[in-house]
Amino acid sequence: MTMWGTVAWFEIATADPDAAQSFYGEVFGWRAVKDEKGAAAGMDYRLITAPGATAPTGGIMATDGAMPGHAVFTVAVRDVAETCATVERLGGTVVARHEASESGPANAYVRDPAGNLFGLFTPPGGGA
């Protein structure tokens, strides 16, 4: 059951995903495996599972130089488009928004009015 409005995913974006996978694996014991759906869409995305967890709760994304490296938390929302509109109404900005597809759920990167980046997503089967 999805708890709406909670941090439900995290992502580490980097130009060197192998180094990030090694670093975080050593520091926290995280295990990372290639995301086959992302790979089919041409992305190097790795799903992270923490020790003792039964499912991934984060990912490492290769930026290929297309964006700066970052680490961001992602909040589960019922409707990404509606939440993006609320973010903008309250003085934030939408950086990028993507509809649900075979390679992943509906998601967006947004900034709060102070410029802090965070993510939004609707888990598969959970949206309005």
Side-chain angles (χ1 to χ4, degrees), residues 6 9 14 20 27-28 34 38 56 58 64-65 67 69 82 92 99 109-110 117:
T6 62
W9 193 260
T14 178
V27 172
F28 299 117
K34 182 169 68 171
D64 298 324
M67 68 177 79
E82 182 179 300
E99 299 297 326
Y109 288 109
V110 298
L117 183 71

Side-chain angles (χ1 to χ4, degrees), residues 64-125:
D64 298 324
M67 68 177 79
H70 62 270
V72 65
F73 66 89
T74 304
V75 178
V77 298
R78 289 183 192 275
D79 186 308
V80 169
E82 182 179 300
T83 305
C84 284
T86 301
V87 165
E88 289 178 321
R89 181 174 54 80
L90 296 174
T93 57
V94 175
V95 176
R97 193 178 108 202
H98 308 280
E99 299 297 326
S101 70
E102 288 184 18
S103 64
N107 65 86
Y109 288 109
V110 298
R111 291 191 184 278
D112 68 17
N116 298 302
L117 183 71
F118 65 99
L120 307 169
F121 86 116
T122 299

